[in-house]
Amino acid sequence: MSQDIENSITQAVLAKAGQGADPRIKQISQALVRHLHAFIREVEPTQGEWKAGIDFLTRTGHMCDQHRQEFILLSDVLGVSMLVDAINHRKDEGATQSTVLGPFYVDAPPEAPLGADIAGSMRGAPLLVQGSVRDAATGQPLANAIVDSWHADESGFYDVQKLESFGGLCGRARFRTDAQGRFHFWTVKPSSYPIPDDGPVGDLLKAQGRHPWRPAHVHFVIFADNHSTLVTHVFEQGDEYLESDVVFGVKHQLIAPLEQHGAGIAPDGRRMTQPFFRLTYDFALAPAQSQQAA
């Protein structure tokens, strides 16, 4: 009897999963059943291993809240996030390469004027970020594009991880490009950091013999009317974790130097009494006639 069920269960579930009216749901559901059942047949889990898997997913859900998304973290460390990203940007020729969103994005962050210092209570060496946004097809600058940016501090923490000690959101803001598609702001230089590894995803990494580290980077999400939204990072050139990013998010095009400058007049005219760093990067967005800015 057990052998009969083993042989027939997949077909029985496939038949039930295909009864809905939506063809896309049918396609996804049946593919999920086929691959999940094939996985179970390959690894032949014990009852104890099956229960451990259920417990792992339950703990992953319990770690999710408004400030932390453990399932995104799980998707990231398994390379799923980057695979989905690659599939969805096959045709973005000439556009800046995309990468993972990460678990710490905040919708509609505080808007700030160009040139603002968004560091707040974050600690670290001063960093001037300068960039521009253009159309990937024509090269024309995109005025009034929305640029969301955020990053970790010198200790590797994001504001949402330490809201109480930081006193609220900091190290993140929304800017709008000027008539020439340019933007700039001040903040602090981020460092490489380990992803949150105090939960089930961290347990998984330890079990797989992997480190939890990401190279230093600044996040960007850029919106412009009639263009595909760009989700990306710019990584610090020379970081020791560029070749072993735990979420597989590094692409060569996204690596840039953080130039060190001495005290004096910064490129934006600000007088600096201490050394500072400068990151410059030009972004290109792929046209998408049906998409509107957020």
Side-chain angles (χ1 to χ4, degrees):
M1 177 65 76
S2 178
Q3 188 67 43
D4 291 341
I5 294 175
E6 186 176 326
N7 292 334
S8 63
I9 186 65
T10 302
Q11 291 306 315
V13 179
L14 285 173
K16 294 295 185 182
Q19 291 180 344
D22 189 312
R24 180 61 171 166
I25 292 178
K26 176 179 178 180
Q27 178 192 15
I28 293 171
S29 298
Q30 291 187 328
L32 173 63
V33 170
R34 286 195 305 271
H35 289 281
L36 184 57
H37 283 219
F39 167 76
I40 294 299
R41 287 191 171 91
E42 178 182 340
V43 302
E44 295 187 338
T46 65
Q47 291 285 352
E49 289 170 336
W50 172 82
K51 184 178 184 302
I54 298 297
D55 290 344
F56 174 82
L57 294 176
T58 301
R59 290 191 295 119
T60 300
H62 287 165
M63 289 294 293
C64 297
D65 59 27
Q66 61 180 329
H67 302 306
R68 176 166 173 173
Q69 232 303 347
E70 193 80 357
F71 271 111
I72 290 181
L73 207 59
L74 178 60
S75 174
D76 289 348
V77 304
L78 293 178
V80 175
S81 299
M82 284 303 297
L83 180 57
V84 171
D85 176 78
I87 289 169
N88 281 273
H89 293 89
R90 289 169 176 161
K91 298 180 180 180
D92 289 355
E93 294 184 11
T96 299
Q97 292 182 333
S98 55
T99 190
V100 294
L101 179 66
F104 298 124
Y105 179 63
V106 172
D107 286 316
E111 189 158 343
L114 296 179
D117 190 331
I118 67 171
S121 56
M122 280 188 166
R123 298 177 63 85
L127 173 67
L128 171 62
V129 179
Q130 295 178 300
S132 65
V133 182
R134 62 179 175 83
D135 183 291
T138 67
Q140 293 298 308
L142 295 176
N144 204 40
I146 296 173
V147 180
D148 288 358
S149 186
W150 71 105
H151 59 83
D153 68 358
E154 66 176 2
S155 298
F157 289 103
Y158 288 83
D159 51 356
V160 295
Q161 293 178 282
K162 302 181 69 174
L163 278 174
E164 197 169 307
S165 59
F166 279 141
L169 296 177
C170 55
R172 77 173 67 234
R174 168 169 289 182
F175 302 92
R176 294 181 184 267
T177 58
D178 65 14
Q180 287 74 47
R182 301 171 302 190
F183 68 91
H184 70 285
F185 61 91
W186 284 89
T187 187
V188 296
K189 182 179 179 293
S191 68
S192 53
Y193 63 85
I195 63 170
D197 61 351
D198 57 340
V201 171
D203 293 341
L204 176 65
L205 293 176
K206 294 182 182 74
Q208 293 178 340
R210 296 169 57 188
H211 73 69
W213 287 83
R214 299 214 66 202
H217 57 274
V218 179
H219 291 263
F220 295 91
V221 175
I222 303 178
F223 311 89
D225 287 340
N226 303 319
H227 289 78
S228 295
T229 297
L230 174 65
V231 177
T232 195
H233 313 351
V234 179
F235 296 91
E236 181 180 4
Q237 187 178 81
D239 190 285
E240 63 178 307
Y241 296 108
L242 288 174
E243 300 299 325
S244 62
D245 179 13
V246 67
V247 306
F248 310 99
V250 177
K251 297 178 180 178
H252 184 266
Q253 185 198 70
L254 302 178
I255 300 172
L258 270 61
E259 304 167 351
Q260 188 166 11
H261 296 260
I265 305 299
D268 69 338
R270 183 178 181 180
R271 181 178 295 278
M272 298 298 296
T273 59
Q274 60 179 310
F276 65 95
F277 291 84
R278 180 190 183 197
L279 169 64
T280 58
Y281 200 89
D282 298 318
F283 299 91
L285 270 58
Q289 294 301 318
S290 63
Q291 186 161 345
Q292 296 297 313

